[in-house]
Structures are given as C-alpha cells and as structure tokens.
Amino acid sequence: MRPCWEIDGVDRTLVDQLGLLLQQLPSSAGHELRAQLAFTHGDRTLALAEAERALQLAGSDPAARAPALVRRAWVLLAGDNREQGQTRPLEEAVALARRVGDLATEARAWQQLAAIAVSRGQPAQAEALYARAQELWEAVGHSRQAAARLRNRAQCLIELGDIATAVGWITACQRMAEADGDGVGQLDAAYTLAMAHESRRDWPAALAAARQALRIAHGRQHLHARA
C-alpha cells in the first residue's frame, strides 16, 4: 500500500490502526513504514520511535537493517536539517544495500547523504550525490523517484545561482507529475519553483507557486508539507 499512500496521502486513523496491527505482529518493515506515515502527519516523536523500533527488529539482517538505518536518518534529518551523526550509519546502509542488491535503499541512502551536504552548505557536493541517487532510481525504473531527485538537484542549482537551468528542470518535472497524477511530485515541484522565484525576487510568482504547493499539501493530508 505504500505507493498508494505516498501518492494520495493517508488518514491519521490508518497510522493508528497500523500501530495496533504491529502490536500483534511486529516487523521491521512495518515499523519503518509507520515511521514514514507518522512523520507526514507531523508526529516526529512517533516517527523516530518507530524508526528505532524498526532498526531494533532488523537485527543483523542486511536486507532489513539497511532501510531501517535510512528511515531513522530521514526522520532525524528532515526534522531539523542538521547532520545528527548520521553519516556513518548511512554509509553502512549503502554497503548493506549493495550487499543484497537493494538499489532503491542505496538510492535513499545517497539522498540522505546529499541532505547532509546541504546542511553543511555544500550544494555542489549535494547535487552530485542526488545525481547518483537519480541514476539508481532510473536503473530500477522508478520514474517518480528519479524526477524527485532531479528536483533536489534543481534546489542545489538555485543555491549555486544557476536559476535558469533549475527552472527548466523543475518545469519538466512539473509536467511529468501532472501527466502521471503524481501528487507528491506536483507538491514538490510547486514548492521548488517558489524557491526559484524567491531567489529571483519575483514575489508574485513565488507567492502563486507557494499557494499551489499549500493547496496540494492540504489535499494530500501532508501536515509536514503544509507547515
């Protein structure tokens, strides 16, 4: 159900129901999923607790430990944009994911390492890491995740001052998201476009794009994005 929930959002009651299910049948993958869903509703405390539980249940199984490490890093990094000592765990996740051939988890790990580079004020390094993640998503045929990484790269280009290229990438991603019915992609494209307009000091265009992002976040029940 994760792809469906990522596209259309999920009601908070489902997060609670998943918790009841996991009390009866704990699993690393289930707690990792609940961590993601809880965070989208703005419950960082629950998300972090679920991520830690997923990591505990994973034990030494590389197929379970790698995504659990990445999810914990995601919750910590998305919470306050600081490194939080996650570089080494993410490097471990990359190694574990490669061992079991999990390209998707490896891609997610590179994304979080890129987020750390952003927090360090290293947009050029971050752009290169996001590009590596994009290549992996393309290799597994996940066009939405690949487009998401292109939007991340556009955000790095905004910081580097290459606004024209960034806007071109964002616009292309926006068209793909609309054609594909990708609500998350539409939200992120609108938000990133607002950043580009803001950097140009084009306040009316920035406001229009930000309002569009807010409407989508509200419709998709994504409290964190709304905030």
Side-chain angles (χ1 to χ4, degrees), residues 11-100:
D11 189 84
R12 176 58 198 243
T13 57
L14 260 175
V15 181
D16 299 332
Q17 289 167 353
L18 180 57
L20 293 174
L21 176 63
L22 288 168
Q23 288 178 15
Q24 303 301 317
L25 188 65
S27 76
S28 180
H31 285 282
E32 183 268 319
L33 170 61
R34 191 169 186 238
Q36 176 188 358
L37 299 179
F39 193 92
T40 65
H41 278 277
D43 195 339
R44 184 172 183 261
T45 300
L46 176 60
L48 185 56
E50 289 294 288
E52 293 286 4
R53 180 64 173 145
L55 189 57
Q56 178 187 28
L57 290 170
S60 59
D61 177 6
R65 183 171 174 80
L69 284 168
V70 173
R71 181 59 60 199
R72 183 180 64 177
W74 178 78
V75 172
L76 289 168
L77 293 169
D80 59 12
N81 198 35
R82 290 184 296 177
E83 184 171 342
Q84 296 279 6
Q86 293 305 298
T87 298
R88 186 168 296 177
L90 285 168
E91 290 172 345
E92 179 189 352
V94 168
L96 292 173
R98 284 179 172 173
R99 188 192 306 174
V100 297

Side-chain angles (χ1 to χ4, degrees), residues 8 28 31 35 43 55 67 116 119 122 131 144 151-152 163 173 175 202 209-210 214 218 225:
D8 294 325
S28 180
H31 285 282
D43 195 339
L55 189 57
I116 289 174
S119 72
Q122 300 170 333
R144 292 184 178 183
R151 292 191 298 271
N152 288 143
I163 310 301
C173 289
R175 286 196 298 266
D202 185 345
L214 183 57
H218 179 74

Side-chain angles (χ1 to χ4, degrees), residues 30-205:
H31 285 282
E32 183 268 319
L33 170 61
R34 191 169 186 238
Q36 176 188 358
L37 299 179
F39 193 92
T40 65
H41 278 277
D43 195 339
R44 184 172 183 261
T45 300
L46 176 60
L48 185 56
E50 289 294 288
E52 293 286 4
R53 180 64 173 145
L55 189 57
Q56 178 187 28
L57 290 170
S60 59
D61 177 6
R65 183 171 174 80
L69 284 168
V70 173
R71 181 59 60 199
R72 183 180 64 177
W74 178 78
V75 172
L76 289 168
L77 293 169
D80 59 12
N81 198 35
R82 290 184 296 177
E83 184 171 342
Q84 296 279 6
Q86 293 305 298
T87 298
R88 186 168 296 177
L90 285 168
E91 290 172 345
E92 179 189 352
V94 168
L96 292 173
R98 284 179 172 173
R99 188 192 306 174
V100 297
D102 186 349
L103 296 184
T105 295
E106 182 184 347
R108 294 182 194 276
W110 287 122
Q111 291 162 210
Q112 297 311 310
L113 287 166
I116 289 174
V118 170
S119 72
R120 291 174 174 173
Q122 300 170 333
Q125 180 181 348
E127 194 274 329
L129 292 171
Y130 281 129
R132 185 177 299 180
Q134 181 182 343
E135 290 175 1
L136 289 170
W137 285 120
E138 289 171 348
V140 298
H142 201 316
S143 60
R144 292 184 178 183
Q145 285 286 357
R149 303 296 73 80
L150 185 58
R151 292 191 298 271
N152 288 143
R153 294 174 64 193
Q155 292 169 359
C156 295
L157 290 191
I158 291 170
E159 292 296 316
L160 292 167
D162 189 354
I163 310 301
T165 301
V167 170
W169 286 358
I170 300 164
T171 302
C173 289
Q174 195 170 41
R175 286 196 298 266
M176 287 188 291
E178 290 171 354
D180 196 28
D182 178 6
V184 174
Q186 293 174 50
L187 165 63
D188 200 32
Y191 174 76
T192 306
L193 196 58
M195 291 174 57
H197 291 315
E198 181 183 0
S199 67
R200 289 173 164 171
R201 303 182 68 81
D202 185 345
W203 308 120

